[in-house]
Amino acid sequence: MKKFKEWLFMGLTAVLVFGTSACSSSDDEPATPTFPDVVQTISCVAESEANFTFAANMEWKLSSNKAWCTLASADMEGQNISGKAGSQVVKVKVSEVGLSFEESKATLTLSMGESSKAV
């Protein structure tokens, strides 16, 4: 009877250990990114800046396709910046270096998870 109790105790312990380790939490990051519904248009002149706002439900990366259009957050500045989930305000800075006299357009691309979208 004593051996039976020992085996029963070891068996229940093994079930608890393996059972709880197999159920890992996936609350770290949502599986599907949520992008802004509407594409924003920001008009700027050379040597100016404007705010670009968006909400991200996971870690994100924002990039500009033009060298004269840089992005700045509280933590970084450049053509490619990134951050954590939440409400975001990014400064879009337009330099006159590389601009032509014609109307120029830059596209900002937001990436979250494996997906990207022009915003």
Side-chain angles (χ1 to χ4, degrees):
M1 186 69 164
K2 184 177 178 180
K3 288 282 187 196
F4 175 73
K5 287 181 182 178
E6 288 176 7
W7 281 102
L8 181 63
F9 178 74
M10 287 191 305
L12 288 174
T13 303
V15 168
L16 287 174
V17 169
F18 291 115
T20 56
S21 66
C23 298
S24 65
S25 173
S26 62
D27 294 337
D28 296 339
E29 208 169 89
T32 305
T34 303
F35 289 97
D37 294 330
V38 178
V39 174
Q40 295 182 38
T41 301
I42 301 172
S43 297
C44 294
V45 295
E47 300 304 319
S48 69
E49 59 185 48
N51 287 335
F52 173 66
T53 59
F54 64 97
N57 66 331
M58 59 178 41
E59 290 186 356
W60 55 271
K61 178 181 173 187
L62 186 65
S63 58
S64 166
N65 68 337
K66 301 291 182 182
W68 48 262
C69 179
T70 58
L71 311 165
S73 68
D75 300 328
M76 59 184 65
E77 185 172 341
Q79 276 189 271
N80 300 296
I81 63 171
S82 58
K84 303 274 184 197
S87 296
Q88 309 297 322
V89 178
V90 173
K91 289 212 178 291
V92 178
K93 298 181 177 187
V94 176
S95 169
E96 65 183 19
V97 177
L99 275 176
S100 65
F101 289 103
E102 300 170 8
E103 182 179 314
S104 297
K105 293 183 181 182
T107 300
L108 303 183
T109 303
L110 180 62
S111 301
M112 290 187 279
E114 299 295 319
S115 302
S116 296
K117 182 177 180 183
V119 292

